[in-house]
């Protein structure tokens, strides 16, 4: 593992374009390689995750001992764990129509840019306070994790 390499971030226009292109290849019938979500539920989950990361969806923040070290390990060092628990708010939305849900996620992906100074950086429900750069890297890592889950 190369710890000196720059981590990928959805704030990078090239990375963001690659992720959107991967989304375009996703089919609603795609089979999961792991986990319990189907493709429509995964799209709904990732959409809600972006709403949370933008501060548009309130998610309860949990107190976790050692979360500073955990945040660094999960975001920058370790692979995203398969089957790890998520906040209830991030899996509550029921998929509606595939074209609308994919369009909603595409719009959120394409909007991933550094925040305007007036918009605060939200806390993560597990990791607590995060830097803006942490959010950009975690956005890529989380999205990549779920896209790999469905073979894209």
């Amino acid at each position: 593992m190369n710890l000196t390499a720059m981590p990928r971030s959805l704030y990078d226009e090239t990375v963001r374009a690659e992720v959107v292109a991967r989304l375009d290849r996703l089919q609603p019938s795609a089979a999961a390689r792991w986990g319990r979500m189907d493709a429509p539920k995964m799209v709904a989950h990732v959409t809600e995750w972006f709403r949370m990361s933008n501060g548009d969806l309130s998610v309860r923040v949990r107190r976790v001992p050692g979360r500073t070290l955990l945040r660094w390990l999960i975001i920058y060092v370790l692979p995203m764990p398969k089957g790890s628990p998520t906040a209830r708010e991030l899996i509550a939305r029921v998929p509606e129509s595939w074209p609308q849900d994919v369009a909603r996620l595409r719009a959120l992906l394409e909007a991933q840019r550094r925040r305007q100074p007036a918009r605060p950086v939200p806390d993560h429900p597990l990791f607590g306070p995060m830097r803006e750069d942490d959010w950009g890297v975690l956005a890529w890592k989380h999205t990549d994790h779920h896209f790999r889950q469905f073979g894209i």
Side-chain angles (χ1 to χ4, degrees), residues 90-137:
L90 301 180
I91 54 173
R93 189 168 77 73
V94 176
E96 295 167 18
S97 88
W98 181 255
Q100 288 175 330
D101 289 343
V102 169
R104 185 178 295 124
L105 178 54
R106 180 180 291 109
L108 287 166
L109 285 167
E110 290 173 347
Q112 292 304 300
R113 290 172 176 73
R114 295 195 177 275
R115 287 173 174 74
Q116 299 300 317
R119 186 155 186 160
V121 178
D123 288 351
H124 185 277
L126 180 62
F127 303 142
M130 301 238 302
R131 296 175 308 126
E132 184 177 14
D133 288 342
D134 294 339
W135 275 114
V137 173

